[in-house]
Amino acid sequence: MGKKIIIDTDPGIDDILGLLLALSATPEEVEVLLISLTFGNIEVKNCLRNAVSMFHIIEREMQWRREKGRPEGFGALRAHRPIIAVGAENPLEDQKMLADYFHGTDGLGGIHASHPHLTPTEAWEHLFHTTIDHAGVPPATASDSERAFTPSKLPAYKEILRVLRDNELDSVTLVAVGPLTNLALAAAEDPETFLRVKEVVVMGGAINQPGNVTPMGEFNAYADAVAAARVFALTSPNPHTTVPPTKNGKLPPYPSKLSRQLTLRLFPLDITLRHNLSRGQFRKAITPLLASGSPLAEWVDAFMGHTFKTLERLHRGHEGDAAQLSMHDPVCVWYAITAEDPKWLPSENSPEDIRIDTLGQWTRGMCVIDRRNRHRIEGEEESSSDHGLWLSGSAGNRIWRMDGSPAEENFGEIIIQRLFS
């Protein structure tokens, strides 16, 4: 039986590639229990449309492969139908920020308008959480839904808790590749059940790299800094030492004592920027598949074409076949599938006390590390020489920051081979 995973995501471009990577695995590698959706790259209603459209395309692709006498692939999906649950529409605090400037307003480069024949058209709104605004969302067919996934009417954070409650302790890995709002809500409602998770794999933050939305802030950490800080705090022996102050008191404080600490593996920009797919790699692989009539190739080519054009517009040096798209989210999924590979390495200082700034005008979402060379001290009382309890052995977060990978040199090839072979 494969590793059990939950994927918490805001399906834009690299999120979709990460989901396809998981679903195209073998049943012996992975079992996707739940896909929980959050705002982030785009509004959550568009995230839902993209997820449902993905399953619709997978169904068409498998049928096309059968007709061509090719292996169907997508063994993990055929072996286990995942649940889809709709989650947070807004951050816990602060103004919402989206990344539609890069992903397009629909999250996939305008694909639903430019390629309407690839978007399902029959009603499915009633299958999901009834409070979400589905205005203008093209729906999927009920038959696709019945075959490919199980829709949930529970909020995503409640589904996360249900899955963790229904499975054995330390048997489920939670891969979080969007803002951490759903995770923070789940942990606030029932921290002990949330801590049943084997580990949380987070794409977010920047340590020795500049941010990608502000000089210091990476998008996921910035989009809901309070949620990120609250989830990070669960790695501490005493979460109250790092849990952030809040403006509206929406979420309760954690209990003073919890039965265990969260294991959190952080994939910041420092490592994800080293995992790329070039336009040349993609073009070489996709061209014969387009000629053969692959529905998946046509769908992915449509939004990837938009992406490479956007890269050319936004970043110098990203022209032609040399253009590189960083696989931020797929690398986290790949870790969840291949975590036993000894080439996955944490930083030499791990576990590290990494905290998320939630209040700074220019530093919201910043990953803060105490780089001062100072000696540890005993006790939990804040002193004039240790404001913030950075030196206390019983305070601070304990984050496993990932810094080494078995796939750095050829990750683009892995993605292509996994999705289309």
Side-chain angles (χ1 to χ4, degrees), residues 100-120:
D100 50 6
Y101 70 93
F102 183 83
H103 295 266
T105 55
D106 68 354
L108 293 177
I111 193 172
H112 301 295
S114 63
H115 295 69
H117 62 289
L118 298 177
T119 300

Side-chain angles (χ1 to χ4, degrees), residues 332-347:
C332 295
V333 174
W334 188 238
Y335 166 79
I337 296 172
T338 64
E340 69 282 353
D341 191 316
K343 293 181 180 179
W344 287 112
L345 297 173
S347 68

Side-chain angles (χ1 to χ4, degrees), residues 115-132:
H115 295 69
H117 62 289
L118 298 177
T119 300
T121 56
E122 295 182 28
W124 50 266
E125 295 98 322
H126 67 284
L127 299 174
F128 290 93
H129 198 288
T130 55
T131 62
I132 188 171

